[in-house]
Amino acid sequence: MCLGIPGQIVEITDASRLLAMADVSGVRREVNIACVLEGEPESLVGCWTLIHVGFAMSLIDEEEAAKTLEALRSLGEAQETLEAMAQGDAALEASR
Amino acid sequence: MRYVEEFRDPVAAKSILAAIEKVVDEIGATAEKPVYIMEICGGHTHAIFRYGLDRLTPAGLEFIHGPGCPVCVLPMSRIDECVEIAERPEVIFTTFGDAMRVPGSRKSLLQAKADGADIRMVYSPLDALEIARRTPDREVVFFGLGFETTTPSTALSIQQAARENLANFTVFCNHITVPPPIKVLLDDPSMVLDGFVGPGHVSMVIGTHPYDFIAADYGKPIVVAGFEPLDLLQSVLMVLEQIRDGRAEVENQYARVVPEEGNSVSLAAIADVYEPRPRFEWRGLGEIDASGLRIRDAYQSFDAEIRFKVGYGAGERSVQEPEGCACGQVMTGRVKPHQCPHYGTTCTPEMPLGALMVSSEGACAAYYQYGAMEAAE
């Protein structure tokens, strides 16, 4: 549970709460960007980050992102994380 | 060589493996008198078995699978307290899925859910925050669990809840820290450890300096490692080279992700929201001083232990682990998983009795999943 998954920041969704939309292996997920923010939130759009339980924890380059995703896929971790994201979405749906 | 073809760069893997073999020879380590290297992180344990690294490396090198899986080291008493909170009718209990199957003395969270408790698996504490916003008439409790990689996320969530004055959000805090149990292991005269592979993503948060004592005070090498097979092999080689050269240093193989000083935002959030508990119980290792975190008084309205009057300070807590369960001995390298009397019979990943069988990062589950028992015999 302590592995991060690479995702690309595609949009700032709520600057006041430091939330951004990330693309994680084709799945969109809102993440908190507090830990990687230097300067304006908008400057992060397009950046690759290592995302752990919904928080962007570290900036990484695109090549590192690709390598990490490949390793996580081999470990089955990428799938596990995507399933956990889907579970989180389902838990939220149940609260509507 | 079963898994070597799966490496993205088999040539590089083979050359690192050859270098490892050479250094093990130079050290003079053999199957009878091996070098013992502990990987602390459960993610590394999982990767070692998944890629068969324990079988690819020479017999003179033995991996010891340390206490680096937060699900695995959770004592039963804490699960019992989760269940106690979750069974309250006003509570929505939110947790990472990993914790659902950990056995408690009465039931697991999965069983509690089946029995009607409102338990929801979330991906992030942000999901728990959002559920709290949407259901103001219910108490939303997040099961905060994990090492330093995960700790900032709950700290930042609590800070956010405080900014919003969310009155129905609390965290049941079970965050633990990596350095104290390492010190306990190093202080144990019966442990034989020659070096460590350090946890990559924990170090991304805390940096490399918290490990300085391992090299300076105990004279043992530690190399912070990434999670790809080549990362792990290279890190093992770096540890071995230190042993051969009589050096004990903190080295960083994962510098592309791990800054030496850690992540300042994460560290500030952790320091603001948490303080060390005087002691915290670890499954298999007992109570360790200052190894767990509690929520500071300034944020006590977000502390589930205070709101629901459970946990430390709420009476006698000790719970007996299942009889014969060898989780503690496995984590300290005293026995191998398959030497536990419950292994593969009364304890399987489907029906775990001990915690090391619950998560894929636990040594027993990894042994079971990848058939390492046969290889070990």
Side-chain angles (χ1 to χ4, degrees):
Chain A
M1 68 176 283
C2 292
L3 300 188
I5 188 164
Q8 190 176 27
I9 304 293
V10 292
E11 180 192 348
I12 303 302
T13 49
D14 183 345
S16 66
R17 284 186 187 159
L18 299 180
L19 296 176
M21 192 59 74
D23 183 307
V24 182
S25 275
V27 174
R28 295 218 161 186
R29 162 81 213 190
E30 199 165 48
V31 299
N32 179 295
I33 50 172
C35 298
V36 293
L37 191 61
E38 287 173 17
E40 288 303 307
E42 283 295 333
S43 66
L44 286 172
V45 173
C47 289
W48 284 89
T49 69
L50 202 61
I51 296 166
H52 175 64
V53 299
F55 286 73
M57 299 298 297
S58 172
L59 291 175
I60 51 177
D61 63 33
E62 191 168 356
E63 188 191 353
E64 170 63 23
K67 284 168 63 179
T68 304
L69 263 179
E70 183 60 35
L72 291 174
R73 284 198 187 102
S74 307
L75 283 173
E77 283 283 338
Q79 195 51 39
E80 260 179 44
T81 304
L82 294 174
E83 282 165 15
M85 286 179 181
Q87 276 165 1
D89 290 346
L92 284 178
E93 279 304 311
S95 310
R96 277 201 192 278
Chain B
M1 292 289 168
R2 186 171 146 205
Y3 288 106
V4 79
E5 67 276 8
E6 293 184 16
F7 291 5
R8 272 185 306 289
D9 189 351
V11 177
K14 278 180 185 158
S15 74
I16 298 177
L17 281 166
I20 286 175
E21 200 153 346
K22 181 165 172 280
V23 179
V24 166
D25 275 350
E26 287 165 352
I27 293 170
T30 60
E32 291 71 39
K33 200 175 175 304
V35 175
Y36 293 98
I37 295 181
M38 175 176 276
E39 87 279 359
I40 298 161
C41 172
H44 284 153
T45 303
H46 183 49
I48 284 168
F49 285 105
R50 172 66 183 85
Y51 297 112
L53 301 186
D54 55 324
R55 297 184 225 182
L56 294 172
T57 45
L61 165 65
E62 190 155 333
F63 288 105
I64 298 183
H65 316 294
C69 164
V71 175
C72 304
V73 298
L74 252 186
M76 269 191 173
S77 56
R78 296 301 275 184
I79 293 295
D80 289 347
E81 285 156 356
C82 285
V83 171
E84 190 183 325
I85 297 171
E87 285 182 336
R88 297 171 74 109
E90 74 275 25
V91 164
I92 297 174
F93 193 86
T94 59
T95 174
F96 297 136
D98 308 46
M100 290 295 281
R101 288 186 305 115
V102 185
S105 65
R106 273 199 301 137
K107 51 177 98 170
S108 66
L109 285 168
L110 196 63
Q111 289 161 328
K113 184 179 167 71
D115 292 344
D118 191 346
I119 298 173
R120 303 184 194 178
M121 283 181 274
V122 291
Y123 162 63
S124 165
L126 297 174
D127 298 336
L129 268 185
E130 186 56 27
I131 292 171
R133 290 185 194 109
R134 291 182 186 185
T135 50
D137 55 331
R138 302 281 301 278
E139 287 285 342
V140 177
V141 183
F142 178 70
F143 184 17
L145 168 71
F147 286 104
E148 289 91 335
T149 323
T150 321
T151 310
S153 61
T154 42
L156 289 159
S157 299
I158 288 172
Q159 288 176 328
Q160 181 65 35
R163 278 194 291 273
E164 295 178 32
N165 287 316
L166 270 180
N168 65 328
F169 175 78
T170 51
V171 170
F172 183 47
C173 181
N174 287 270
H175 288 298
I176 45 179
T177 57
V178 163
I182 302 179
K183 187 170 184 311
V184 166
L185 293 171
L186 285 165
D187 281 335
D188 182 344
S190 66
M191 283 294 296
V192 188
L193 283 172
D194 298 300
F196 293 90
V197 172
H201 290 158
V202 160
S203 311
M204 169 176 78
V205 171
I206 65 173
T208 61
H209 293 305
Y211 312 122
D212 287 349
F213 75 97
I214 297 173
D217 301 343
Y218 293 90
K220 308 286 183 190
I222 175 165
V223 177
V224 173
F227 294 88
E228 292 183 54
L230 291 183
D231 284 329
L232 272 165
L233 287 177
Q234 190 185 9
S235 302
V236 166
L237 178 60
M238 289 164 75
V239 172
L240 290 168
E241 284 172 343
Q242 285 200 43
I243 294 169
R244 178 197 62 193
D245 301 343
R247 289 181 291 127
E249 294 166 17
V250 183
E251 291 184 300
N252 186 4
Q253 182 274 339
Y254 201 32
R256 62 189 193 273
V257 170
V258 172
E260 234 173 83
E261 306 298 330
N263 182 287
S264 58
V265 176
S266 297
L267 291 170
I270 292 173
D272 178 45
V273 173
Y274 303 113
E275 63 189 359
R277 296 177 189 265
R279 59 199 163 82
F280 195 73
E281 186 189 347
W282 294 55
R283 193 185 289 235
L285 297 177
E287 293 204 320
I288 302 177
D289 291 348
S291 63
L293 299 174
R294 64 177 286 274
I295 295 168
R296 286 184 188 276
D297 288 347
Y299 292 97
Q300 66 169 251
S301 60
F302 302 100
D303 189 341
E305 287 189 39
I306 290 176
R307 186 163 305 182
F308 301 104
K309 299 183 176 60
V310 297
Y312 283 83
E316 190 52 51
R317 306 181 51 263
S318 187
V319 174
Q320 290 293 317
E321 297 296 334
E323 199 176 333
C325 176
C327 280
Q329 290 153 288
V330 171
M331 261 186 292
T332 48
R334 291 175 173 87
V335 304
K336 295 289 180 192
H338 67 279
Q339 292 166 332
C340 172
H342 295 294
Y343 177 86
T345 54
T346 43
C347 187
T348 63
E350 292 71 37
M351 290 288 285
L353 180 74
L356 289 184
M357 199 53 107
V358 174
S359 158
S360 61
E361 296 177 9
C364 295
Y367 250 61
Y368 193 89
Q369 189 175 358
Y370 297 113
M373 185 173 70
E374 297 81 17
E377 283 172 345

